[in-house]
Every structure is written in structure tokens, then in C-alpha cells.
Amino acid sequence: MRQFNNSTQPNNLTVLQDILRLMAKSPRLETIAPTILRESARLMQASAGFYIVFDEPYLSFRHQLADDKFPDVDDLMSIAEKLDYNLHVSNNLLSPLAQQFKGWVLVPIIHKKESVGLFSLLFDTEIMLSDEASMLVLSLLDSLTIITSTEKVNARHHKLMQNQNEFVRIVSHDLRSPLTSIKGFASMLEDALSDDKLKHFASKILSGVTQMTTLVDNIQDAGRYDPETGFYEMERTPTDLIDVVNKIVNTHLVPAEKGELTLGVKIADNIPIVNVDATMIERSITNLVDNAIKYTPNGGRIEVGLQKDDGDLLITISDNGYGISEDNMLQLFNRHFRIRRREHTRVKGSGLGLFIVRSVARHHDGDAFVESIEGEGSTFGIRIPLAGDNLLGASV
């Protein structure tokens, strides 16, 4: 009969403190579970042990236990479902554990009142544990329970995000075809009509379709460009950003209601060719130009700039519009955030444009930024490091 002898073991408080420090440094089951399993086996002089999480995510950790000795998972789940959160000692082992060991200690891991995992220490002799030993094991397993619950919540969140992103991708893709058809037929209808009132109605239809198309594009790009959850695969090519900027400025149509609004460029002489995803970069610059046009009052000026700043390339869009408060600047690049002010009541938008801009910048190891003074105007920008994959030849 083996009994845990606390006097021959390391200080219990030190072990618990080490586990807590490890949790704070790397709160993942892949790090915590093997450590707790190893320390528990050492402190209690167990011959082996294992810890298993049954699903979402399924994980299995083993200490000094061969694969051919591991029991059937369904059998372990059946045992865990019958136990409360406590330390259970038994000499009745499952096959094939019974071929090598004489007894085991079992502790189910509980999450939302359900057994989601099972922790076990295995002994080659019969077991008798002191109350102090039992408390020590349960203290260690409290840490394991916390991390397991966090992992399961994260796994569930990740699955929901995947489902949401897939749903958005499918819906956004499927909406494109009918929107294109509506836009095409409405445009032909507008051209064919002679009655001014009916032509006005057709133009309203076209305007609504354009808004819907822009919204669908933004929703799709926000999902696929998101650095954390997106599915977009970057395609880097040698890109002349001077051509990209000039193309956007030269082809950008300023709405007729924006009286005397001017759009210009200011490009430095030392701009290098860079290895970037041209589609992403063009999309982000277009978003910034669109925003500047929408939020700059009649008679204003917008300037697209391109310059080097130490080891970075800066793409900037400046305007002399209403400006932005410091509080709002802190949230501008968050998903769906829009500034609420009287001057913007007629401006349509989803609050995704600037989120896309920041996502594109971060895909290129850079970031987005804004500088503004209320009543004087704003400068939005993208900072791209001239280093790493952004350099020509880096991805070859």
C-alpha cells in the first residue's frame, strides 16, 4: 500500500505558485496540462497518468503511458459522467490499464455542469491518500479546470466565427449576381425612359443598388481581409504605387453634389517599387479617398500623398473637412464604428471601410493611422515597412 508522504516532497505552495505563473505566461492546455500531469505524478509518486478533453477541442495528454495501454475514449466518458468534481480512488481499472496498473485516481473536469474531461493518475500498487494529498491534487486541478473551460469557450467562439465567416462569404458571393442584373436593367430602363419623373425613379433605383453593392463588397472584404479570422490568401507582386495612386485619382468620380471639390496628388521622387498585394492596397486607398469625398464639405480639397518616412512607405489622404475629436480617433478603425454628428446624417456607410484599411495594412506588417484637428481637417494614412516580404525578391 503506497501513501503520499508530504514531508519528502517539495513545498506545496511553491508548486502551486509555479503553476499560476505558468498559467499567466502561457494560458494554453498544451502547456499547462503536461506540467500539472507531470507534477501531480511526481508529488504523489504515481507511475503514470493521463488527461483527456472529450470534444471541442478533443485533446489527450499522457505521462509515462504507452498508446496501447490507453483505454477506449467512450468508456472514459461513461466513467466521467457518473462522477462529481472530487478525487476518486479505485482499484477497478479499465482494460488495458488493468494489465499494468493496480489502481488509479480519477477526477472529472466540469464545465457548465457537465463532465468535459477526465484526469487520472495510475499506480502499480494499491493507493491510500492523505487528506493533504487530496487537497493538493484538487488545487492543481482547479487550475486545469480554469484553462480547460477557457479552451472550450475559445474553441466554441472560433467555430462560431468560422460559421459566420462562411455564411457571410456565401451570402456576399450570391448577392453579386442579382445586384449586377438589377443594376444593368435599371440602367437600360433609365436610358430608355423619356419622362423626367420616371427617369428620376430609375436613378434612385440605381443609387440604391450601388449602395447595396458597396455594402456587400465591404462586408466581404472585412471578412476575408481580417488578420485574425480572414481567409484571403495574399498575392504579392512588384507594384508601382505611384501608378496605383494616379489611377485611383484619375478615375475617381466626384459626386455632382460636391460642388467645387478638388482631388489632387503629392508624390515624392524617391518612391521604390514594392512587393505587395496590389488589389488589397488599391482597395484600401480607394476606401480612404471615398471617405474623404463623403465627409469633406463642398468647396473642400483632398490630397493623396505618397512619401518615404525613414524605413516606411506612407500613403496619406488629407482633407480640410470637419476634423475628428481625440475620443473618436481612438475607435475609428474598429469594425462598424461610425462618428455620429449632424453634418454626417446623410452619409451612408457600414463602418467597415476603415477596418478594411487597417486590416490591409496589418497584412503587410504595417498599420493605419489618423491625425486630425477638429474644424481644420484630417489625414488618414497607411504605413508599410520597407522590409521583409514587402521588399522585391523577399517572397521568391
Side-chain angles (χ1 to χ4, degrees):
M1 187 79 66
R2 176 177 293 166
Q3 182 168 353
F4 177 78
N5 182 1
N6 186 54
S7 63
T8 64
Q9 305 303 321
N11 183 274
N12 297 349
L13 181 60
T14 300
V15 173
L16 292 174
Q17 287 175 337
D18 289 343
I19 294 296
L20 290 174
R21 277 194 290 268
L22 186 59
M23 286 176 62
K25 183 178 180 181
S26 182
R28 299 295 307 275
L29 269 180
E30 287 83 354
T31 303
I32 300 298
T35 302
I36 291 180
L37 191 56
R38 182 181 65 250
E39 287 300 314
S40 297
R42 181 178 64 81
L43 290 169
M44 298 182 66
Q45 301 176 29
S47 301
F50 66 84
Y51 175 56
I52 182 172
V53 181
F54 299 130
D55 57 16
E56 288 191 17
Y58 172 81
L59 295 169
S60 178
F61 305 93
R62 305 172 195 184
H63 175 68
Q64 303 295 332
L65 182 64
D67 290 344
D68 61 349
K69 298 299 182 182
F70 197 73
D72 183 80
V73 175
D74 290 337
D75 292 338
L76 293 175
M77 289 179 64
S78 179
I79 290 176
E81 289 171 355
K82 300 174 184 177
L83 303 177
D84 59 359
Y85 182 69
N86 209 331
L87 190 146
H88 303 269
V89 179
S90 174
N91 296 319
N92 185 21
L93 286 85
L94 292 173
S95 177
L97 292 174
Q99 300 172 10
Q100 180 177 351
F101 303 101
K102 299 298 183 183
W104 59 351
V105 170
L106 297 169
V107 182
I109 302 300
I110 308 297
H111 174 67
K112 293 185 177 180
K113 299 182 180 181
E114 294 185 1
S115 297
V116 298
L118 187 66
F119 180 91
S120 177
L121 295 176
L122 303 164
F123 297 82
D124 53 15
T125 64
E126 292 184 356
I127 313 159
M128 185 175 68
L129 301 179
S130 67
D131 290 341
E132 186 176 357
S134 299
M135 291 180 63
L136 174 60
V137 172
L138 288 176
S139 296
L140 291 173
L141 295 189
D142 283 343
S143 302
L144 194 60
T145 299
I146 293 171
I147 298 299
T148 300
S149 295
T150 302
E151 288 276 339
K152 291 190 73 64
V153 170
N154 289 341
R156 176 66 174 165
H157 175 72
H158 180 68
K159 184 176 181 179
L160 290 173
M161 287 296 297
Q162 283 185 319
N163 291 342
Q164 176 183 300
N165 288 339
E166 181 65 11
F167 173 77
V168 169
R169 185 186 68 81
I170 293 172
V171 171
S172 299
H173 178 270
D174 290 348
L175 279 173
R176 286 180 176 274
S177 181
L179 285 173
T180 301
S181 296
I182 295 171
K183 185 174 183 179
F185 285 119
S187 181
M188 288 189 290
L189 184 62
E190 183 184 34
D191 292 339
L193 291 171
S194 58
D195 185 277
D196 289 341
K197 187 174 183 179
L198 294 179
K199 288 178 71 73
H200 174 72
F201 292 157
S203 69
K204 288 295 184 181
I205 294 173
L206 283 169
S207 177
V209 171
T210 299
Q211 291 178 16
M212 290 180 64
T213 303
T214 301
L215 177 60
V216 169
D217 288 343
N218 281 341
I219 291 173
Q220 187 175 53
D221 287 348
R224 64 179 182 168
Y225 289 166
D226 191 324
E228 296 181 3
T229 62
F231 51 85
Y232 182 80
E233 294 292 335
M234 291 182 65
E235 296 183 7
R236 293 178 180 269
T237 57
T239 303
D240 186 347
L241 290 182
I242 297 177
D243 287 345
V244 173
V245 167
N246 284 326
K247 172 188 171 184
I248 292 172
V249 172
N250 292 333
T251 61
H252 228 86
L253 296 177
V254 177
E257 64 268 18
K258 290 289 185 178
E260 299 180 5
L261 188 65
T262 57
L263 182 60
V265 296
K266 183 178 180 180
I267 299 176
D269 297 328
N270 58 346
I271 304 302
I273 304 296
V274 288
N275 189 42
V276 297
D277 189 308
T279 300
M280 295 179 79
I281 294 294
E282 183 173 344
R283 181 76 164 92
S284 60
I285 298 173
T286 299
N287 277 2
L288 291 176
V289 173
D290 283 339
N291 273 1
I293 291 173
K294 287 191 293 187
Y295 293 107
T296 301
N298 294 353
R301 175 173 174 79
I302 298 166
E303 184 175 82
V304 183
L306 195 57
Q307 66 183 79
K308 286 179 65 176
D309 181 36
D310 294 332
D312 296 332
L313 189 62
L314 298 187
I315 307 166
T316 58
I317 290 81
S318 303
D319 64 66
N320 58 352
Y322 299 110
I324 304 164
S325 69
E326 290 187 10
D327 290 341
N328 284 327
M329 281 194 288
L330 297 174
Q331 305 178 69
L332 270 178
F333 294 99
N334 294 339
R335 190 192 291 262
H336 298 304
F337 178 79
R338 295 191 68 200
I339 297 175
R340 304 297 179 184
R341 56 191 299 173
R342 181 175 54 82
E343 296 88 349
H344 300 162
T345 53
R346 294 187 178 182
V347 177
K348 306 296 182 182
S350 61
L352 292 173
L354 292 179
F355 174 80
I356 293 170
V357 169
R358 184 180 65 178
S359 298
V360 169
R362 290 183 174 179
H363 269 290
H364 291 86
D365 300 319
D367 209 346
F369 63 90
V370 59
E371 300 169 353
S372 184
I373 300 176
E374 281 195 280
E376 297 185 17
S378 306
T379 295
F380 286 84
I382 304 168
R383 182 180 295 273
I384 299 177
L386 293 173
D389 289 339
N390 295 328
L391 297 177
L392 290 183
S395 300
V396 178

